[in-house]
Amino acid sequence: MKIFLIIAIIIGVIKGYFIKIVNPEIITPIIKNEVVGNLVLEPTITINPTIRPTKIPVVKVAPTIDTEPWGVAKQIGEHTYTMKINQDPAMGSPKEILDALNEYRRRNGVAVLMWDEKLANYAQFRAVYFNNNKSLDEHKGFIDFLNNEDGFNKLSFTSLGENSSFGYKLTGVHLIEWIYAGDEPHNKNQLNKDWAYVGIGVQGSATCLIFGTGKM
C-alpha cells in the first residue's frame, strides 16, 4: 500500500507538472509566433524592396550657331544666290521696284529703263510660277521660252535678260540695292547699259525683272 501510494503521488506530481507545461490556459501566449515541435519561430516579416526611380539622362544638344554673315550673297547654284537679311513689313510693288532700279542706275551713271507691258506680263507669269513652286528654276523656264517657244518674237525684242528672286519680302530699294546688287552677275545685269526696257512682276515673295533691248 505504501508503494502504491508513493507511485500514485509521483504519478500525480508528474501529471500535474505535465499539465502545467502544456495547458494553454496556463502558458503565456506568444503572439504571432509560429510553434514547430518544441521550437518557437520568430514571425516572418516581409519587407517590400525600396524602388528607386530610374534617372533618365538629360541629353544636352548644343545650340546651332549661325555663322552666316548678314548681307553677303552666297552662291548655292549655277545662277542662284542666297543672302541672310531682315525682311521688311511689306513687299515692294512693281512700280516701287522700277523707281528703285532707275534711281540705282542713275547713281551708277547708267540710263534709266522704260516700262514695257509685254515684258511686264511675262515677268508676272514668271513670278507666279516661282511663288507656286516656292523656288526659282535657274532661268530654265526663261531659256526654254526663248529657244523653244519663239519668246523673242512673242515679246518683240531681239535681246532679253532676267533677274528673279524668291523668299524675300522687301521694299523696292532693298530688293534692288541689297538682293540684286549683292552678287556680281545680277548686279551687272541690272546695271547693263545695253538694256532699254524692263517689265517687273511680283507675286507673294517672288519677283521677276525681264530686261529687253532691240525692240521690234
Side-chain angles (χ1 to χ4, degrees), residues 29-36 39-47:
I30 302 175
I31 301 174
K32 294 183 180 179
N33 285 357
E34 185 178 355
V35 179
V36 178
L39 297 177
V40 179
L41 303 180
E42 294 295 328
T44 302
I45 301 175
T46 302
I47 301 176

Side-chain angles (χ1 to χ4, degrees), residues 152-173:
F152 291 102
N153 287 323
K154 286 180 178 178
L155 297 180
S156 303
F157 285 91
T158 60
S159 184
L160 294 160
E162 177 185 64
N163 271 1
S164 55
S165 71
F166 174 76
Y168 300 100
K169 185 172 71 172
L170 297 172
T171 63
V173 172

